[in-house]
Amino acid sequence: MIGQGIWLRAPVVGAGYALLALLCLSFSRFGWPTESIWLSNAFLVAALLAVPRKRWAAIIACAAAGHVGAHLLVGDALDFTLAYLVGDMSESAIVAALLAPGTMAFASRGDVFWFLVVSAIIGPFVSACITASGSFIIGQPMETRDFAVWFGADALALLFFLPLLTGFNHVRWRRIADKPLRLAAAVVLVFGFSILAAWLTGAPTMRLLLLPLLVLVAFELGIAGVTICMAVMMIAWTVMVLNGYSPVPWASLDLRDTLITTQIFLAIFCATILPLAVALEQKERLTETLEGTLKETREAWGAIIGAEARYRLIVDHVSETVMRVAPGGLILFASTACVGLLGGQDVEGHNLF
């Protein structure tokens, strides 16, 4: 079944990669050689993490075909497309290999810190270096700012969308499903504060209010709510910057430098909130485990007390003598019949010999 499913999954991944690539190339390039955000690699990494490694070649091959098709559709030259293709496919394979298996479950803070290192540093840096080398080979060297934009575009997509695609389980889904109104309110507030912060350019502290808001979301909705809200914030800020808004209105920056600043701003938010959400979830799991253990302990003690009561009830009302004696002769327990046999003398605590 797995072998049959991969031949269906791989073309679907390739088509999804092509559509996302075409979307990013069409709406976030603005005449530059690099995009403002590159969602396709996050989608490909999520697809790779969902299948065994021996199936990765087929999925990467279909994604590569989608990558080439999208670039050619927007008019990019073939040599330019191939130079960028190597960087994107290499990044996806490296990130998936370093995060598999189990990192995206975010079972501990160590997992989330490793995810941040791989997604925000290792993967995008390797991809940017490979792409810069390819651009140099074909005679179109990548400028420093294009290198920075490429790095930030890949890092933001991995940081904000990869947890959204892979970091869920039934417990996390149930937590947000049980609080749909709170999730909707959180999304509206994050989006609203983002728009308000962009509109009130003279009040930079407005942007800082997003931080306590996301902390509250982490407490109320956990990792699932945080990842959804961060994705909304990232899209809102990227769109606003591309429409002329700046998170640093007091600085005279062109659009590309403003975009780089925004990428750094969003990356700091993600690196702050995501570990907090994982730590809170880890604490909740520990609390639930302790509560379960205490419940089992109380039930066990109850069973022991009940058994002891039944035992005493039986031995105190039978005519046979029942006595418990330690190896040294110390009488630990003597039934009522024993006391009567010995003339009413209480022998518990005395030596039998």
Side-chain angles (χ1 to χ4, degrees):
M1 294 298 294
I2 294 178
Q4 296 174 354
I6 194 64
W7 298 113
L8 177 62
R9 178 175 296 189
V12 170
V13 172
Y17 190 99
L19 289 175
L20 287 174
L22 190 60
L23 178 69
C24 295
L25 290 169
S26 301
F27 294 102
S28 68
R29 178 175 278 188
F30 288 85
W32 309 339
T34 55
E35 297 70 41
S36 306
I37 185 171
W38 189 247
L39 304 177
S40 300
N41 284 3
F43 176 74
L44 177 55
V45 172
L48 294 176
L49 291 174
V51 299
R53 292 194 181 191
K54 61 182 179 180
R55 310 294 181 183
W56 285 11
I59 290 182
I60 292 176
C62 289
H67 182 285
V68 172
H71 274 271
L72 294 180
L73 281 175
V74 298
D76 288 341
L78 182 60
D79 56 351
F80 179 87
T81 298
L82 294 178
Y84 281 29
L85 171 68
V86 177
D88 283 327
M89 296 301 107
S90 299
E91 176 188 77
S92 300
I94 290 171
V95 171
L98 292 176
L99 294 181
T103 299
M104 296 309 299
F106 291 149
S108 66
R109 282 170 289 182
D111 287 342
V112 73
F113 285 129
W114 178 240
F115 162 74
L116 292 174
V117 169
V118 172
S119 300
I121 300 175
I122 297 177
F125 182 75
V126 170
S127 174
C129 289
I130 292 175
T131 305
S133 300
S135 300
F136 181 80
I137 292 174
I138 64 174
Q140 300 181 28
M142 180 181 286
E143 296 182 4
T144 302
R145 288 199 298 179
D146 291 330
F147 184 95
V149 171
W150 177 287
F151 182 96
D154 284 13
L156 285 188
L158 292 172
L159 284 173
F160 283 83
F161 279 93
L162 191 54
L164 191 63
L165 296 172
T166 63
F168 288 78
N169 54 39
H170 69 282
V171 176
R172 290 169 182 164
W173 274 119
R174 188 173 66 247
R175 182 170 181 180
I176 60 174
D178 291 342
K179 302 175 181 178
L181 294 179
R182 293 187 184 184
L183 176 62
V187 170
V188 171
L189 286 174
V190 168
F191 185 79
F193 269 100
S194 298
I195 299 298
L196 192 61
W199 180 51
L200 298 175
T201 55
T205 55
M206 184 64 64
R207 284 174 282 279
L208 298 179
L209 293 179
L210 286 166
L211 187 58
L213 176 59
L214 288 174
V215 170
L216 180 61
V217 172
F219 275 95
E220 290 291 329
L221 301 174
I223 295 175
V226 164
T227 53
I228 292 173
C229 289
M230 287 197 307
V232 170
M233 185 179 71
M234 191 271 293
I235 292 175
W237 276 94
T238 302
V239 171
M240 288 189 301
V241 169
L242 293 176
N243 282 277
Y245 295 101
S246 172
V248 285
W250 56 86
S252 299
L253 302 175
D254 61 17
L255 180 58
R256 294 166 79 184
D257 288 337
T258 300
L259 180 61
I260 295 172
T261 304
T262 304
Q263 290 171 339
I264 296 173
F265 170 81
L266 292 171
I268 291 173
F269 261 79
C270 181
T272 302
I273 298 300
L274 193 57
L276 174 63
V278 172
L280 290 173
E281 186 176 276
Q282 191 177 10
K283 183 179 179 180
E284 288 180 0
R285 286 199 304 268
L286 179 59
T287 301
E288 291 174 358
T289 301
L290 291 175
E291 289 177 351
T293 302
L294 289 174
K295 181 180 179 181
E296 293 175 358
T297 302
R298 287 194 298 266
E299 292 175 352
W301 273 111
I304 292 172
I305 293 171
E308 177 70 16
R310 288 192 298 271
Y311 171 77
R312 293 297 298 262
L313 180 64
I314 292 172
V315 299
D316 285 346
H317 293 83
V318 296
S319 58
E320 290 81 5
T321 59
V322 179
M323 183 178 293
R324 290 173 56 198
V325 183
L330 180 66
I331 299 174
L332 302 176
F333 171 77
S335 66
T336 305
C338 292
V339 176
L341 182 65
L342 297 173
Q345 182 181 0
D346 187 3
V347 296
E348 287 189 15
H350 297 277
N351 194 288
L352 178 65
F353 304 112

